[in-house]
Amino acid sequence: MSSVAATTTTAPRHAHARALLPSPAARAAGLAAAAALLLLAAASSIALGSLPIPLHEVLTALTHPDGGDAHTVVNELRVPRTLLGLLVGSALGAAGALMQGVTRNPLAEPGILGINAGAALAVVLAIRVLGVDAVSGYTAFALAGAALSALAVHLLGTAGAGRSGATPARLALAGAVLAALLTALTSAVLVRNAQTLDQFRFWIVGSLAGRDSAVTATVAPVILVGLAMALAAGRSLNTLAFGEEVARSLGQRVRTTQALCALAFVLLAGGAVAAAGPIAFVGLAVPHVARALVGPDHRWVVPYSAVLGATLLLAADVLGRIIARPGELEVGIVTALVGAPFFVWLVRRRRLVAL
């Protein structure tokens, strides 16, 4: 009797919740509006900066470059920076949506697999041991370090796990342990060499400044492949949301899905960290905004997160250039200032968003 009553009272509640979700047409329109907002942020990134340039000169530099100062600033500095911001922001947003979907943890973000710590140690070793002194030279080492740390986390998470494999909790624990170890090793190298610390601090703060087209060319294939994999994983993530047992009963290969999502996550987060350094809170905050707009369907959450992540990063970068004229505030600092209050609000909520 009680089960029947529970069913009759729960069914209308679920039906009411479904009725509150936006329709596919509304979601598509919202995604188009988000894309338009992204175009506005990209245009602002090209038109605005620490050096004021009249709008007509910006347009002239884009359409009829003449080799002048405006041409140099717009075409050789702002345009590559904007393209990199598009890639890095979309990668961080999609990576956060993937990780929160796979782990069903609303506080998961791209640093959870030790990717930031692995990339940081690789950059420090590249500076200290090999004498690399250019941002474009850091990129390949950071990407390799991020990939190796993610592989190490997977091996630690599966060690002794038996047939159950690496559960999200085991992976998160392994990532926290490895990140602590790698951070300690990084600190040990830095405290013994002031020159390495002086070079490293410009990367670790998280910035789009000083990145040329070579950096973008290095990470673009990695991030684009990761984005394609993330967009294709939406339906599988929806099935995983019901739990692993239910997903298996529906015919899904849970371990294969988790492995592919982990690979996409490594490509996205690793590529973003390699190019711009560790940038906080984008991967944490953006998926929550996306779910608030479109509901829990990952077929929509992932593309919304990618678009909103790029918009947020470009807007933060423009803000950092304007408020600190004639200098600029690195984008990693701006996102931390914006994201920290959001994180406090999130953890103080009585009930986190269900995934």
Side-chain angles (χ1 to χ4, degrees):
M1 179 70 177
S2 59
S3 62
V4 174
T7 302
T8 57
T9 57
T10 304
R13 187 182 307 164
H14 287 308
H16 178 66
R18 286 194 299 269
L20 294 177
L21 293 176
S23 65
R27 289 168 170 169
L31 187 58
L37 189 62
L38 175 57
L39 289 177
L40 178 61
S44 300
S45 179
I46 296 174
L48 303 175
S50 56
L51 176 64
I53 299 177
L55 183 58
H56 71 275
E57 292 188 20
V58 173
L59 295 175
T60 301
L62 290 173
T63 57
H64 299 90
D66 56 6
D69 292 340
H71 162 81
T72 301
V73 171
V74 172
N75 292 307
E76 297 183 18
L77 297 178
R78 292 184 184 175
V79 170
R81 183 171 181 167
T82 300
L83 292 176
L84 185 62
L86 288 170
L87 285 172
V88 171
S90 61
L92 291 174
L98 271 183
M99 182 51 61
Q100 291 177 14
V102 170
T103 62
R104 299 189 296 280
N105 178 0
L107 297 181
E109 52 88 28
I112 198 171
L113 292 183
I115 284 179
N116 292 354
L121 179 59
V123 169
V124 165
L125 293 177
I127 297 172
R128 180 70 179 90
V129 178
L130 301 177
V132 179
D133 59 0
V135 175
S136 57
Y138 302 160
T139 307
F141 291 98
L143 186 57
L148 289 175
S149 64
L151 177 61
V153 167
H154 177 74
L155 294 176
L156 288 173
T158 55
R163 296 179 60 186
S164 62
T167 63
R170 290 177 65 92
L171 288 175
L173 180 60
V177 171
L178 185 66
L181 173 62
L182 295 178
T183 301
L185 293 175
T186 301
S187 300
V189 176
L190 292 175
V191 298
R192 296 175 63 87
N193 190 279
Q195 184 179 0
T196 302
L197 174 60
D198 190 54
Q199 294 185 42
F200 177 70
R201 64 189 178 91
F202 290 105
W203 179 85
I204 193 62
V205 73
S207 176
L208 298 177
R211 275 64 170 175
D212 55 21
S213 56
V215 175
T216 304
T218 301
V219 301
V222 176
I223 291 177
L224 291 176
V225 171
L227 284 173
M229 295 178 66
L231 293 172
R235 188 179 298 275
S236 298
L237 289 175
N238 287 344
T239 306
L240 278 179
F242 293 105
E244 294 185 8
E245 295 300 326
V246 175
R248 288 193 184 93
S249 68
L250 294 175
Q252 184 175 108
R253 296 180 179 179
V254 173
R255 298 302 167 212
T256 301
T257 298
Q258 290 175 338
L260 291 175
C261 288
L263 176 58
F265 175 81
V266 169
L267 294 175
L268 292 168
V273 172
I279 296 176
F281 295 109
V282 176
L284 170 65
V286 166
H288 288 278
V289 177
R291 281 191 292 272
L293 293 174
V294 298
D297 190 341
H298 286 89
R299 294 174 298 178
W300 292 98
V301 170
V302 173
Y304 263 81
S305 297
V307 174
L308 294 175
T311 304
L312 172 61
L313 193 68
L314 287 177
D317 188 45
V318 172
L319 180 63
R321 285 184 256 169
I322 293 176
I323 63 176
R325 286 176 174 173
E328 65 178 67
L329 201 61
E330 285 76 6
V331 68
I333 297 175
V334 178
T335 57
L337 292 175
V338 173
F342 178 85
F343 182 82
V344 172
W345 169 79
L346 187 64
V347 298
R348 287 177 62 87
R349 289 181 64 187
R350 293 183 179 179
R351 190 167 69 90
L352 294 174
V353 178
L355 301 182

